[in-house]
Amino acid sequence: GDELAAAEAAPPAPDTPQAANLREWRRAFDRAVKVPEDLAVALARACSRAETAWERARPAHDWAAFLPPLAEVLSLRRQEAAAVGYAAEPYDALLDVYEPYAATADMAPLFAALRPALVSLLDRIRGASRRPDPTLLARRAAAADQEAFCRQVATAIGYDFAAGRLDRTAHPFATRIAPGDVRITTRFREDNLAEALFGVVHEAGHALYEQGLPAADYGLPTGEAASLGVHESQSRLWENVTARSRGFWRHFLPQAQAALPALADAGLDQFLFAVNEVRPGLIRTDADEVTYNLHVLLRFELELALVRGDLAPADLPDAWNRAMADTLGVTPPDFASGVMQDVHWSAGLFGYFPTYTLGNVIAAQLAAAMRRDLGDLEELYARGEFAPQLAWLRERIHAHGARYAPRELVRRATGSEPDPGFLIRYLEEKYGELYGF
Ligand code: ZN
């Protein structure tokens, strides 16, 4: 605190990296000192207990065993919000941890715009006469063959294996050990050749961001990612806008067929439709591009009600099932595929979910800005040219670290603040063409 005050007494010039670092250190320091030590200790213990309880209770569908530790975590995080303080409502104080400078009042309009647009698009998809053939993706493909192809794709989009690794894990993730060492993980299922492939592209998208952060600023805010929402925009851009596009598969399908004999007779239209199948389901992590944000919306509304005190934890399963029926038209048969499916709440991560949708919104907006600057992205992909896209992202997003608040970063990169209209237009156009309406 004394060091910060001394630095602020002789402030660096405004709008410099030094000023940004000071701003971010002040922000982190002020938040940390507002949380009393006994509350911080109680939260750490409660989250540890609740996550362990969740691991045991989920496979047993034992909501009753999970409820008390979950209720304790929620109660402590509400105390944390009160200690930290907030302008409009307690949820703001939690959201701010994952998405700096974002408020509930920024997120609610995104979801309010997305909800009717996605429900309407889903209705048209349900009514469409065209249907993809998902069995194509369930053909057997040896894990070793899948891995070889995944490495080929990750290399082609710019992931640097000389500064990273691909390893196997139960739950895929990307992590930076240090500058020059950014690793990705995946899991292979021999009866599903899409899961690992799109999982690797997703994690490589996160890793490209980390590999593009300024190494000289390592340890400083200007050497860190801007936010979880911006991070997810990078993974979803590469996974969905790029790797689920026609141009991408015009380039890669022949290579996929060489690596994975099961795809030998797959046609481009058939394969592209299969990897873009829309099917309302129970599980967020399995969701397609159209339904994914409805899963997030439901969680945002429920956790907002929990944090406000409008919904009691004991009433969560009923509220969850009602919301699933209302938004996606499906009803979970059990707790594991319903309210207990995600680890987040057990780990205390209230306020985290909206960053997923913000990431999707920003991804579509970045893609629109790249089309303006780089021309037809599909034609670049079809020629196997991914360097222009990566260079654009490096310059506009990666190189800045957390120098700018996320909204400002997006405004500088695209010309406007995060706007769900770009995502809605992208989905309407893409799925209208695929499903034929
Ligand atoms: Zn991600």
Side-chain angles (χ1 to χ4, degrees), residues 184-315:
I184 55 176
T185 62
T186 195
R187 62 177 166 218
F188 296 98
R189 281 174 48 191
E190 302 214 321
D191 62 350
N192 181 331
L193 48 82
E195 185 178 315
L197 172 63
F198 292 101
V200 164
V201 176
H202 181 97
E203 299 309 333
H206 282 301
L208 287 170
Y209 187 12
E210 297 279 335
Q211 288 184 331
L213 291 169
D217 287 17
Y218 183 63
L220 303 174
T222 47
E224 296 295 320
S227 72
L228 289 184
V230 174
H231 228 307
E232 195 69 2
S233 78
Q234 301 303 292
S235 56
R236 300 291 274 183
L237 175 57
W238 288 100
E239 176 194 355
N240 289 331
V241 178
T242 304
R244 284 192 164 90
S245 71
R246 175 175 294 275
F248 187 89
W249 289 106
R250 274 164 64 196
H251 177 69
F252 272 116
L253 188 57
Q255 297 180 44
Q257 288 170 324
L260 308 166
L263 287 177
D265 64 342
L268 176 61
D269 288 331
Q270 184 194 16
F271 185 77
L272 185 69
F273 204 2
V275 300
N276 285 294
E277 185 191 21
V278 175
R279 187 204 293 257
L282 296 167
I283 307 296
R284 174 186 60 86
T285 53
D286 295 342
D288 55 81
E289 274 183 289
V290 174
T291 57
Y292 187 88
N293 295 301
L294 293 171
H295 286 269
V296 177
L297 174 139
L298 169 157
R299 286 156 178 76
F300 170 67
E301 288 179 346
L302 291 176
E303 66 182 15
L304 189 56
L306 287 168
V307 172
R308 283 176 174 167
D310 294 345
L311 175 67
D315 298 329

Side-chain angles (χ1 to χ4, degrees), residues 336-395:
S337 57
V339 68
M340 288 169 74
Q341 67 182 259
D342 294 308
V343 68
H344 300 59
W345 289 338
S346 77
L349 302 177
F350 293 91
Y352 189 113
F353 282 118
T355 68
Y356 291 129
T357 286
L358 185 60
N360 289 320
V361 165
I362 297 172
Q365 190 164 336
L366 291 172
M370 285 195 292
R371 271 180 215 111
R372 179 193 66 203
D373 293 350
L374 302 175
D376 190 341
L377 298 178
E378 299 269 330
E379 288 304 317
L380 289 175
Y381 302 158
R383 293 198 298 270
E385 291 175 18
F386 302 100
Q389 173 164 308
L390 180 56
W392 192 96
L393 293 169
R394 286 265 145 93
E395 183 191 333

